Amino acid sequence: MIAELQQAVARYAHALDELNVPELEVVLAEDTTWTFTMPGQRVLGPVSGRKAVLGFIRAGHTAQAGRTRHHLSNVVVTTVDAATAEVRAYLLQTGNTGESIQIISTGVYTFGLRQSDGAWRIAELNLTLDNVL
């Protein structure tokens, strides 16, 4: 079960970076919520519902220059039962313009996952960034 939870989080990061909407639709619950906390600024969100989250992701891809990667590490399952789980992971976000590579941001993800149709889906995502983008 732990490997399945870690796989769901990894699939999210890959689909996010590739703007793979069909994969994001699989890994995100229909009623998913996203909340972002940035130091010294207000909390962004929650962005509620898969359709709204996908719109938020598309807007982010449109605004970025080059390739952005979300590197998740130290992935830990903090709670789990038959229907729900919480997973925490560190974020290292990088950008590659083809001319330079830079660290964009670091932070901590907390994923609330829920069992749905035989698969783990992200029902709640909280990202606390260590720095302002």
Side-chain angles (χ1 to χ4, degrees), residues 62-115:
T62 301
Q64 73 187 27
R67 268 308 205 184
T68 300
R69 299 282 188 220
H70 294 76
H71 308 270
L72 303 184
S73 65
N74 298 351
V75 179
V76 177
V77 176
T78 55
T79 61
V80 65
D81 61 34
T84 62
E86 182 180 277
V87 176
R88 290 178 43 92
Y90 290 147
L91 166 69
L92 172 66
Q93 186 179 10
T94 60
N96 184 337
T97 64
E99 296 176 11
S100 67
I101 299 170
Q102 64 180 7
I103 295 174
I104 297 171
S105 163
T106 60
V108 177
Y109 271 112
T110 304
F111 298 92
L113 293 102
R114 180 174 58 234
Q115 187 68 245

Side-chain angles (χ1 to χ4, degrees), residues 5-93:
L5 292 164
Q6 292 172 330
Q7 183 72 5
V9 169
R11 287 174 58 201
Y12 152 79
H14 281 269
L16 180 65
D17 291 342
E18 299 300 324
L19 190 56
N20 183 337
V21 173
E23 180 69 13
L24 286 166
E25 288 174 338
V26 169
V27 77
L28 297 174
E30 182 70 35
D31 62 345
T32 191
T33 61
W34 283 22
T35 305
F36 301 90
T37 303
M38 293 173 268
Q41 297 185 5
R42 64 180 174 78
V43 173
L44 174 63
V47 178
S48 298
R50 184 167 54 206
K51 185 176 179 179
V53 167
L54 291 173
F56 183 83
I57 291 170
R58 284 184 182 104
H61 270 265
T62 301
Q64 73 187 27
R67 268 308 205 184
T68 300
R69 299 282 188 220
H70 294 76
H71 308 270
L72 303 184
S73 65
N74 298 351
V75 179
V76 177
V77 176
T78 55
T79 61
V80 65
D81 61 34
T84 62
E86 182 180 277
V87 176
R88 290 178 43 92
Y90 290 147
L91 166 69
L92 172 66
Q93 186 179 10

